[in-house]
Amino acid sequence: MKSIFVSGYKNFELGIFKRDAPEATFIKEAIKRRLLGFIDEGLEWVIISGQMGVELWAGEVVAELKKEEYALKLAVITPFLNQESNWNEGNTLWYSEIVSSADYVAAVTKREYENPRQFQLKDQFILDHTDGTLLVYDTEREGAPKFFYEKAKDYAENGDYTIFLVDFYELQEVVESLNSDF
């Protein structure tokens, strides 16, 4: 697997309202552990669409791994131009930091938001241009990732595409392993 899309819950869906909240540490660690395994198997690119929450945390993880000399690249493929235009200043800054650390940035539709179809086009583009998906999503707790997850499951049934889930049980294991280190 050379490229993987990383996505999941938006931070507010998890009740996390600060990008550096302690809970974010556990989510980032779970992503890091998975990415390190994929890197060992030949992963070169992590793709995100720049959504707040899991995607921006994944961008932070990739930046950290690059600083640790891992040969990993980050692409931010947004559904439309200026998706952050209505975000508050803190979230816009967070997004800008991730975009500035990316190796590639593009919008699927080369115009600003017009309609929900742009999200569908982004999802299809991601599926067509990645080898798999790492989704921080628990099927027992629905949220925004459900729509992409369902589309990815259908896509995987018809082709060579792999979906990896980080569920709440795995996150709990990360919490316990990090807490046992103290």
Side-chain angles (χ1 to χ4, degrees):
M1 184 166 46
K2 299 285 185 201
S3 62
I4 194 163
F5 176 59
V6 180
S7 190
Y9 295 104
K10 293 180 175 77
N11 53 316
F12 55 84
E13 290 181 291
L14 297 168
I16 303 172
F17 299 98
K18 295 170 102 179
R19 71 183 266 192
D20 59 351
E23 300 88 348
T25 304
F26 303 119
I27 293 167
K28 289 173 59 175
E29 179 64 22
I31 293 168
K32 181 178 181 178
R33 290 178 183 187
R34 288 293 193 103
L35 290 180
L36 286 171
F38 298 142
I39 290 168
D40 288 344
E41 297 171 10
L43 181 67
E44 297 174 4
W45 282 92
V46 171
I47 292 86
I48 61 173
S49 67
Q51 292 180 6
M52 286 185 281
V54 168
E55 291 193 21
L56 292 183
W57 288 318
E60 290 177 358
V61 170
V62 172
E64 292 165 11
L65 290 172
K66 288 166 71 171
K67 284 179 185 170
E68 294 174 23
E69 304 294 324
Y70 286 94
L72 192 60
K73 294 179 183 162
L74 176 67
V76 180
I77 309 292
T78 64
F80 47 86
L81 296 173
N82 301 315
Q83 75 172 347
E84 77 286 5
S85 63
N86 292 324
W87 298 359
N88 69 37
E89 185 179 341
N91 290 332
T92 301
L93 177 62
W94 185 17
Y95 175 82
S96 296
E97 288 172 11
I98 300 305
V99 167
S100 68
S101 73
D103 299 282
Y104 182 78
V105 179
V108 174
T109 59
K110 307 292 184 214
R111 52 196 185 280
E112 294 199 3
Y113 179 78
E114 294 171 348
N115 59 59
R117 175 96 174 107
Q118 289 167 292
F119 292 103
Q120 296 166 351
L121 292 170
K122 181 264 306 176
D123 289 349
Q124 191 60 53
F125 182 89
I126 293 293
L127 291 168
D128 290 341
H129 293 88
T130 58
D131 301 316
T133 292
L134 174 61
L135 205 56
V136 177
Y137 178 63
D138 194 309
T139 57
E140 295 178 17
R141 181 161 184 244
E142 291 186 357
K146 176 187 177 187
F147 302 104
F148 184 81
Y149 175 64
E150 294 297 331
K151 189 168 189 169
K153 276 191 348 185
D154 291 342
Y155 190 84
E157 287 176 10
N158 298 315
D160 186 23
Y161 197 81
T162 309
I163 303 166
F164 303 92
L165 292 180
V166 174
D167 60 19
F168 290 125
Y169 297 107
E170 183 172 340
L171 288 175
Q172 184 61 38
E173 289 174 5
V174 169
V175 169
E176 291 170 4
S177 73
L178 289 180
N179 285 338
S180 70
D181 292 341
F182 295 107

